[in-house]
Amino acid sequence: MTARLAAIQALIAESPDIDSLLLVGGVDGRNHAGSREALDWLFSGLSGREIWGSKHDNALDEAVLLITADAARLYAPPKLWAALQPRVARWRRLQVWSPPVALEDDVEQVEEHKIRSFIAMASGVGRVGVALPPAEGSGKGPAAAIELWPLVQAFALQDFEALTGGGFFTQQHEVTSVAEALRALQLQLDAPALGWLRDVEAPRLAGCLADCLQSVDVACDGGRAVRLSEAELFEPALTYHAHGRGRTSRGRGVRYVGRVRAAL
């Protein structure tokens, strides 16, 4: 997934508003959809409607990733890090924070280690992009939204003032929503996405079209007049279209499907 990391780093390098992108999985990011989708896209190689579907890797709920224009900083528990190593082996300038295995059964120690790791990861960056959905970035803005994330709230705890200097995370970091730009990257047809279209969606669509042709053959059998409407004849393809639009509406994907329907 090196190419996808490079695409995000290019986005950061070209933006005057951010110098980093922060992704926090699971409850520590308040089950934030944008971070979950971006982590799945980066680490699991999901593409198309699978990004917004049900194929989320729950193990990534423990991940925290901060990306800069030329480096990446990752927090991952030992088991998750072991699973991710083959996927990130070619990531340049990757720093990893992982709690010692000996702390695995001590929940409080693991949580403290994660907070300290997050503080260290955020050091040296000032303009942080977050994958906030547009609605979440409105109103009081993205800064107020991420201050509701438990991990970000922990930044301001008195126990860690010696590391942070005191104050809220958003008092020391300018926060900007980059959800639309990040989603545009997720919708690009890169190599994993093309593989997904070839191996998953193309067979599904071929099956739907075969069903449509079978419906036409049955309707025209014996040379009798066709009494079915176009919608009835091509119901499998229209159902595929409706399903695709429903699964991708959040990502505004599969815009070409409307032309398929028009052709029918």
Side-chain angles (χ1 to χ4, degrees):
M1 301 306 160
T2 305
R4 290 186 169 182
L5 172 67
I8 290 180
Q9 290 179 323
L11 172 67
I12 295 170
E14 294 167 4
S15 173
D17 300 320
I18 60 172
D19 59 14
S20 58
L21 172 70
L22 175 64
L23 304 173
V24 180
V27 295
D28 281 323
R30 214 181 181 201
N31 294 310
H32 173 227
S35 287
R36 180 183 67 246
E37 293 159 2
L39 290 170
D40 280 329
W41 181 72
L42 270 171
F43 290 128
S44 300
L46 296 189
S47 300
R49 63 186 181 188
E50 289 184 334
I51 300 173
W52 301 281
S54 58
K55 290 198 173 183
H56 170 60
D57 183 354
N58 292 328
L60 294 175
D61 287 346
E62 295 298 323
V64 179
L65 181 64
L66 189 137
I67 302 171
T68 67
D70 60 358
R73 305 170 186 177
L74 171 67
Y75 172 88
K79 290 181 180 178
L80 176 58
W81 171 232
L84 292 180
Q85 284 187 52
R87 310 179 203 178
V88 301
R90 297 177 62 188
W91 285 20
R92 294 182 178 180
R93 299 190 63 192
L94 172 64
Q95 293 177 276
V96 179
W97 285 259
S98 188
V101 177
L103 296 181
E104 191 172 17
D105 296 327
D106 192 329
V107 176
E108 290 186 1
Q109 288 293 320
V110 170
E111 288 181 352
E112 180 178 340
H113 184 277
K114 187 172 187 177
I115 296 168
R116 291 180 179 275
S117 299
F118 171 62
I119 293 170
M121 291 167 66
S123 175
V125 299
R127 303 186 309 279
V128 180
V130 289
L132 287 167
E136 198 173 338
S138 62
K140 295 182 179 180
I146 74 162
E147 283 292 356
L148 298 176
W149 299 359
L151 186 62
V152 174
Q153 289 178 331
F155 186 93
L157 292 177
Q158 190 173 7
D159 293 346
F160 304 105
E161 281 188 358
L163 298 175
T164 65
F168 296 107
F169 179 84
T170 52
Q171 289 178 313
Q172 300 184 24
H173 302 82
E174 182 180 346
V175 178
T176 301
S177 174
V178 294
E180 292 300 323
L182 186 58
R183 190 160 295 140
L185 291 181
Q186 294 168 349
L187 291 172
Q188 287 183 355
L189 284 177
D190 57 8
L194 285 171
W196 169 75
L197 286 174
R198 179 196 63 208
D199 299 334
V200 178
E201 288 304 318
R204 286 176 179 168
L205 181 57
C208 289
L209 295 178
D211 290 342
C212 291
L213 293 176
Q214 185 178 12
S215 297
V216 172
D217 289 341
V218 172
C220 297
D221 186 40
R224 62 178 182 270
V226 177
R227 298 184 180 277
L228 297 177
S229 67
E230 290 181 350
E232 290 172 319
L233 285 172
F234 296 105
E235 187 274 335
L238 295 177
T239 299
Y240 177 87
H241 164 253
H243 179 67
R245 285 185 63 86
R247 293 286 293 275
T248 59
S249 59
R250 292 185 62 248
R252 301 179 184 176
V254 199
R255 296 171 182 167
Y256 57 84
V257 178
R259 296 197 293 273
V260 174
R261 182 170 185 173
L264 295 177

